[in-house]
Amino acid sequence: MAFIALLVIGATAGHAQRETAPLTLRQAQGQPEQGRGLKGRPTATGQGAAFSVYEAAVSDIQRAIQSKRITTVGVVEQYLRRIKAYNGTCVNEPQGILGPVTTIANAGQINALSTLNLRPAAREKWGFDARKARSMTDRVDGAADMPDALETAAAQDRAFARTGRLSGPLHGVVIAIKDQYDTKDMRTTSGGDAQYANDRPPDDATFVAKLRAAGAIILAKANLAEYAVDGARSAFGGTFCNPYDTEREPGMSSAGSGTAVAANLVTCAIGEETVVSVRWPSAVNSIVGLAPTKELVSTDGMIGAGLNMRVGPMCRTVADTARLLDVIAGYDPKDEYTALSVGRMPRTSYLESAGVRSLAGLRIGVVREYLNRKLLAQADTESVDLVERAIEVLKKLGATVVDPGPEGALFQRCITQSAPELLSSVFARQNRPLFPVNAAGQPEGDQIAGFVDLRADPSRVPGTVTLRTIGGGFGEPGEDKYMINRYLRERGDANIKTNADLISKATFYNDPNFPNRRAAREQAERATTLDTSARMHTRFALQTLLLHCMEEQKLDALVAPMSTVPPKKLLSPREPALNGRTPIGWFMFGQQGFPVIDVPAGFTTNVWDRERDGSGTRLVGPIAKRLPVGVDFIARPFGEPLLFRIAAAYEAATKNRRPPDGFGPLP
């Protein structure tokens, strides 16, 4: 393997300029090198105590740079070594990247990052194949105004040597961006293998530009479930795996971002959440993930940005997650939704909120609707246990915990009283015995009188109307097609101009164990109307209802499970939905505009899996398995400062984060 010689910028007396090198074959195989350093060479950290990026927080990295224990180039190189060691293919692909796959136990690889921000010469010297190139349509890649990650790091080192100051609050922070977001220097296709005339968009997404301006180094695009739908696979990037068990799913569509952070391939990452796509990968990878208030962070430059889609930071600590939000939050004229953030930004930084260690004076409600063991299954047991422990920690931290009891329901009285009126049309359709219709589908009798009666006597509201059963849906094909076509029109590519082009000018994987991406694009293409009014109304109605329910009990925040079902095996069926619990987690609060942060809650000891059995499935277990579980904290819209206070206090009290075995420090 060829070596790359790079100058270490910012050397002072006693720290001579050194050469550094990528992994040798022995290191990539996990074998120690003979002698000192790499083939006897000193490392990029210089002659002082060695600094490792493994499990390093932003503050650790920046202190090391300021004390000259490492350069910014050295930080990037360490992450590149880890990527070289651990980002390989994690499944068997007997028919290639587009064909059916089989799993590999303890693969030691996760395939989390699909594109690396390296120019061709640097990429080749580091031994990364052409599939990881910044662009497939610009093979020369010599534009001076698009420095790669190593060049950016070198520029930061030169500036630091000259001024003695960091270049911004995120100096030295190495980040992966979900491939759903525009990066002007790296290909952006949402995981699709589509034949763009230029696979690089004309400019950065707004939040990406903000990250760069703050000093962050964008090292990679993260693999994702293609077009951010579901599954752990894309046509371009291939299948990606959970580092805690490479035969299991790593979470929802932002799992490339989550697993890259978990395995220390980057400092932090950016994901996107529509349903649970930030929080679920965070929960099952023992990291911190924030699905912020929709209107807080611009979705400019997002492929297919929809009503519920949110830009979410993902890091290994609460403080680092807050650091990223400090940079990317705020109004953007390119995203009209962010106008709602004006006048609602905190007076102090989010990072400052993450420095509190007491919850005294806070009232936190327990969402028992999601924890009722009588309504759940054997597969849910250990996750519920871990959330129960989290509730006890909140009490010890000084919070007043409002808990209706193991089989109680925090919001039932409030929902029974207010849901019929706020969700009137949906309620009437779902409760025909109360609101019958004739053969033509027209209401029989006076519906208004019926609603007045229900308001006066809530006991007549069916017991099936609970927090588990109300919800706002996931969108519809018209919105999908509109948002994709709007994005492509703005991007202005000469070859891929519409959703129809994505169907006809792309290759798709073919594997019955994963969702059919072509079929999804074809379904969206059949839509000819756009009507967001029903979804906007439902979102407003549910937000009003939930805010009312919180205020009725004077609650500052809520605690709930993210999911009570551990991640399934990649090629196995998911645990069936049960009494409102989906196999991927609870999503209603975030979907209706409430910010939710997920924090490591601990690990399972045993899990139950589903296996196909004839025409159905059967439960298999218990299976001894140590898998991460997360706990959610929920606040009112724009309540992120409060979330960081709660999450940071809980994190400090528990220290539940554990890195995955098999992805440890390199020699």
Side-chain angles (χ1 to χ4, degrees):
M1 183 180 294
F3 285 87
I4 179 171
L6 294 170
L7 292 179
V8 176
I9 310 299
T12 58
H15 290 74
Q17 292 180 344
R18 309 289 188 188
E19 284 187 331
T20 60
L23 282 176
T24 64
L25 179 60
R26 289 179 62 83
Q27 286 182 305
Q29 294 172 337
Q31 302 175 38
E33 282 293 317
Q34 301 299 316
R36 176 169 166 263
L38 295 171
K39 293 193 174 179
R41 299 176 182 178
T43 66
T45 56
Q47 295 177 342
F51 174 78
S52 171
V53 298
Y54 181 73
E55 290 294 286
V58 172
S59 58
D60 299 325
I61 292 171
Q62 293 182 341
R63 280 195 298 267
I65 291 172
Q66 289 173 313
S67 63
K68 300 182 176 61
R69 293 175 59 205
I70 196 169
T71 62
T72 314
V73 168
V75 171
V76 175
E77 289 174 337
Q78 282 202 29
Y79 282 119
L80 284 172
R81 290 188 183 98
R82 294 190 61 78
I83 292 168
K84 184 66 179 174
Y86 297 130
N87 193 57
T89 303
C90 58
V91 293
N92 296 309
E93 299 174 337
Q95 297 179 32
I97 194 171
L98 299 176
V101 301
T102 58
T103 60
I104 303 173
N106 304 312
Q109 306 291 327
I110 54 174
N111 194 33
L113 304 176
S114 55
T115 301
L116 296 178
N117 194 2
L118 297 174
R119 290 195 193 272
R123 176 180 53 77
E124 291 169 6
K125 287 181 179 179
W126 277 85
F128 293 109
D129 65 52
R131 193 81 171 177
K132 293 292 188 287
R134 296 206 297 178
S135 173
M136 297 289 147
T137 57
D138 178 11
R139 299 289 185 174
V140 175
D141 191 13
D145 63 346
M146 289 194 292
D148 70 7
L150 288 168
E151 292 166 337
T152 300
Q156 288 189 2
D157 284 336
R158 289 193 295 271
F160 179 70
R162 186 174 64 253
T163 67
R165 296 191 302 272
L166 298 179
S167 58
L170 298 182
H171 181 125
V173 179
V174 175
I175 291 181
I177 305 291
K178 185 177 182 180
D179 188 37
Q180 193 176 0
Y181 300 115
D182 283 353
T183 47
K184 65 182 180 182
D185 48 3
M186 283 184 286
R187 69 186 310 280
T188 302
T189 70
S190 203
D193 194 4
Q195 304 307 308
Y196 284 83
N198 183 356
D199 59 11
R200 292 192 287 209
D203 55 17
D204 283 330
T206 294
F207 80 84
V208 172
K210 287 183 175 182
L211 289 172
R212 293 192 205 267
I217 297 172
I218 312 301
L219 180 58
K221 298 302 285 289
N223 205 353
L224 75 163
E226 191 169 332
Y227 297 110
V229 183
D230 189 9
R233 187 168 185 174
S234 67
F236 183 82
T239 305
F240 45 108
C241 304
N242 189 319
Y244 292 88
D245 181 346
T246 55
E247 291 192 283
R248 291 181 183 271
E249 62 184 355
M252 204 71 169
S253 69
S254 297
S257 298
T259 56
V261 173
N264 285 271
L265 306 188
V266 289
T267 318
C268 292
I270 298 290
E272 171 276 325
E273 176 151 318
T274 305
V275 184
V276 294
S277 296
V278 164
R279 294 178 296 117
W280 198 30
S282 298
V284 301
N285 285 286
S286 194
I287 65 171
V288 178
L290 173 71
T293 306
K294 156 72 177 177
E295 298 85 359
L296 186 61
V297 183
S298 173
T299 57
D300 165 68
M302 177 193 291
I303 297 178
L307 174 63
N308 291 332
M309 291 184 173
R310 288 147 285 155
V311 179
M314 307 167 76
C315 302
R316 287 180 292 275
T317 70
V318 174
D320 286 355
T321 308
R323 289 177 192 271
L324 262 62
L325 189 64
D326 273 325
V327 168
I328 65 178
Y331 172 67
D332 175 20
K334 295 179 181 178
D335 180 355
E336 55 267 33
Y337 287 104
T338 58
L340 274 71
S341 71
V342 176
R344 304 176 78 175
M345 301 291 290
R347 294 183 179 180
T348 58
S349 71
Y350 294 113
L351 180 59
E352 186 173 333
S353 299
V356 180
R357 293 294 179 266
S358 170
L359 302 184
L362 295 183
R363 287 174 59 85
I364 302 177
V366 180
V367 185
R368 282 289 175 185
E369 289 89 333
Y370 298 168
L371 290 166
N372 189 332
R373 296 175 190 270
K374 284 194 172 182
L375 300 176
L376 298 174
Q378 207 164 17
D380 301 83
T381 301
E382 287 205 8
S383 297
V384 172
D385 290 343
L386 290 169
V387 177
E388 295 275 12
R389 293 178 201 169
I391 295 167
E392 294 306 310
V393 173
L394 298 179
K395 294 177 183 177
K396 292 177 182 178
L397 289 168
T400 298
V401 173
V402 180
D403 188 348
E407 296 175 23
L410 185 67
F411 289 155
Q412 191 56 51
R413 176 186 172 279
C414 170
I415 288 173
T416 300
Q417 180 188 52
S418 301
E421 177 181 320
L422 290 171
L423 299 165
S424 54
S425 60
V426 174
F427 184 89
R429 286 197 304 271
Q430 293 178 348
N431 293 276
R432 288 307 185 199
L434 293 174
F435 298 95
V437 296
N438 59 28
Q442 299 300 313
E444 292 182 350
D446 186 350
Q447 283 196 350
I448 293 175
F451 279 111
V452 171
D453 290 343
L454 288 177
R455 184 73 179 194
D457 183 9
S459 67
R460 298 183 59 215
V461 175
T464 54
V465 181
T466 72
L467 190 65
R468 291 171 163 273
T469 59
I470 58 176
F474 302 117
E476 42 85 27
E479 183 185 13
D480 185 350
K481 180 180 177 181
Y482 169 76
M483 296 307 299
I484 286 284
N485 284 351
R486 193 189 83 172
Y487 166 84
L488 292 171
R489 177 76 62 88
E490 293 170 354
R491 178 162 171 165
D493 190 75
N495 194 38
I496 303 294
K497 301 178 180 180
T498 64
N499 180 67
D501 289 335
L502 291 177
I503 298 170
S504 63
K505 300 177 181 180
T507 55
F508 295 86
Y509 63 74
N510 182 19
D511 187 339
N513 287 303
F514 294 87
N516 188 321
R517 302 305 183 195
R518 180 187 293 274
R521 298 265 52 84
E522 290 172 342
Q523 179 185 5
E525 187 60 24
R526 289 192 286 271
T528 57
T529 60
L530 174 67
D531 182 6
T532 60
S533 59
R535 293 188 65 217
M536 291 289 282
H537 165 261
T538 301
R539 189 170 185 267
F540 176 75
L542 285 170
Q543 193 173 105
T544 301
L545 174 64
L546 296 171
L547 286 170
H548 167 55
C549 293
M550 289 182 70
E551 188 59 27
E552 188 177 62
Q553 299 188 56
K554 303 299 179 186
L555 300 176
D556 298 296
L558 306 170
V559 58
M562 188 278 119
S563 173
T564 51
V565 178
K568 73 177 185 72
K569 291 187 174 181
L570 273 173
L571 307 183
S572 298
R574 282 179 173 155
E575 180 71 13
L578 180 66
N579 290 316
R581 187 267 286 135
T582 75
I584 60 175
W586 300 97
F587 53 82
M588 201 268 291
F589 283 95
Q591 199 181 45
Q592 309 314 323
F594 289 70
V596 188
I597 192 168
D598 189 79
V599 185
F603 289 79
T604 63
T605 57
N606 294 285
V607 300
W608 295 78
D609 286 330
R610 285 278 164 183
E611 290 185 356
R612 292 180 177 86
D613 182 16
S615 59
T617 66
R618 64 188 180 94
L619 199 62
V620 179
I623 300 166
K625 186 64 62 175
R626 185 175 178 271
L627 297 174
V629 175
V631 59
D632 277 354
F633 301 114
I634 305 160
R636 293 174 173 82
F638 300 98
E640 282 81 0
L642 179 60
L643 286 188
F644 285 125
R645 175 184 172 185
I646 297 169
Y650 173 78
E651 174 189 63
T654 59
K655 296 180 173 59
N656 285 325
R657 156 73 187 167
R658 295 288 184 275
D661 295 336
F663 295 85
L666 295 176

